[in-house]
């Protein structure tokens, strides 16, 4: 009878003696890495569409052309008004990135006042956009809203990022602007600056549906 040393090739014998090796050249398992605990949630789901990039902050803003009158249509979720994604898909500012949050939207002393267009420009755009959406209510009760807010790196004056947002259901006529979207934007801003979610994730959540943005990111 042949001895084991002679029957088994030296390479295979060495492999068998090593732990974790079940056959020649084939490891018994592979190692996977899980995300680091506390890491910010990544951006949009794979199905999320890329958001357009606007011109960013300008020294002098000009009135932007709006969609044709009557071409935009509101959607409603739980009675809350949402933008028409064909007219207002959102646009981000190239001046705000994940890498420069501390010097832009998260800096002490504020960011939005320095990039916001003047009321002279937005006032004219608001009237034009109201015609785009067929809005006939009180202009003082409607907000000319940045879909991706300035505090989330939205483009300041790209027409793809601005829409006439009607008042919430039950809003008292003549009471001025008061909607539930603003607190959502503030919570998202706080989460981004605290490192709980990425800037891209917050932007994608708000353009998908602002009424579900906090739930989508586990912030509600």
């Amino acid at each position: 009878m042949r001895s084991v040393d002679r029957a088994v090739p030296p390479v295979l014998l060495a492999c068998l003696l090593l732990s974790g090796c079940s056959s020649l050249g084939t490891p018994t398992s592979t190692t996977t890495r899980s995300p680091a605990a506390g890491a910010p949630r990544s951006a949009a789901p794979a199905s999320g569409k890329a958001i357009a990039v606007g011109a960013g902050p300008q020294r002098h803003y000009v009135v932007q052309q709006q969609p044709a009158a009557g071409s935009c249509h509101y959607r409603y979720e739980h009675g809350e008004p949402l933008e028409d994604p064909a007219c207002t898909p959102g646009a981000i500012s190239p001046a705000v990135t994940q890498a420069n949050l501390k010097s832009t939207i998260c800096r002490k002393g504020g960011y939005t006042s320095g990039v916001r267009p003047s009321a002279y420009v937005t006032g004219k755009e608001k009237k034009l956009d109201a015609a785009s959406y067929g809005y006939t209510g009180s202009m003082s009760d409607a907000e000319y809203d940045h879909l991706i807010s300035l505090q989330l790196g939205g483009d300041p004056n790209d027409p793809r990022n601005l829409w006439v947002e009607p008042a919430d259901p039950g809003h008292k006529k003549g009471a001025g602007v008061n909607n539930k979207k603003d607190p959502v934007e503030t919570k998202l801003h706080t989460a981004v600056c605290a490192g709980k979610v990425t800037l891209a994730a917050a932007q994608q959540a708000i353009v998908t549906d602002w009424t579900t943005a906090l739930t989508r990111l586990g912030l509600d």
Side-chain angles (χ1 to χ4, degrees), residues 7-202:
V8 181
V11 173
L12 180 57
L13 180 61
C15 180
L16 291 171
L17 293 175
L18 293 175
S19 63
C21 182
S22 59
S23 62
L24 188 60
T26 305
T28 56
S29 62
T30 57
T31 302
T32 58
R33 296 179 180 270
S34 58
R41 294 179 178 85
S42 60
S47 59
K49 295 181 179 179
I51 301 174
V53 179
Q58 304 292 307
R59 181 170 296 180
H60 300 290
Y61 291 102
V62 297
V63 176
Q64 298 295 304
Q65 183 178 354
Q66 304 298 311
S71 63
C72 306
H73 306 282
Y74 293 114
R75 300 173 293 141
Y76 287 85
E77 291 290 342
H78 307 293
E80 294 290 341
L82 274 69
E83 78 293 340
D84 185 333
C87 293
T88 318
I92 57 177
S93 170
V96 180
T97 67
Q98 184 69 37
N100 69 10
L101 293 178
K102 290 185 178 180
S103 63
T104 54
I105 63 172
C106 299
R107 75 168 180 242
K108 294 182 178 180
Y111 162 82
T112 62
S113 61
V115 301
R116 189 181 300 277
S118 69
Y120 172 80
V121 170
T122 57
K124 290 187 175 183
E125 292 175 345
K126 183 177 181 180
K127 291 180 180 179
L128 294 172
D129 196 73
S132 301
Y133 272 89
Y135 176 78
T136 57
S138 170
M139 294 296 283
S140 63
D141 288 339
E143 179 177 353
Y144 192 44
D145 176 69
H146 289 92
L147 178 60
I148 303 174
S149 65
L150 296 181
Q151 63 179 337
L152 290 175
D155 194 85
N157 200 39
D158 192 306
R160 294 170 294 184
N161 195 46
L162 284 153
W163 64 302
V164 172
E165 180 185 4
D168 286 337
H171 180 75
K172 184 178 180 181
K173 187 176 181 179
V177 174
N178 181 19
N179 62 64
K180 295 180 179 179
K181 181 172 181 283
D182 290 346
V184 171
E185 296 167 347
T186 299
K187 289 183 178 180
L188 289 174
H189 173 262
T190 299
V192 169
C193 292
K196 293 182 179 179
V197 298
T198 63
L199 176 65

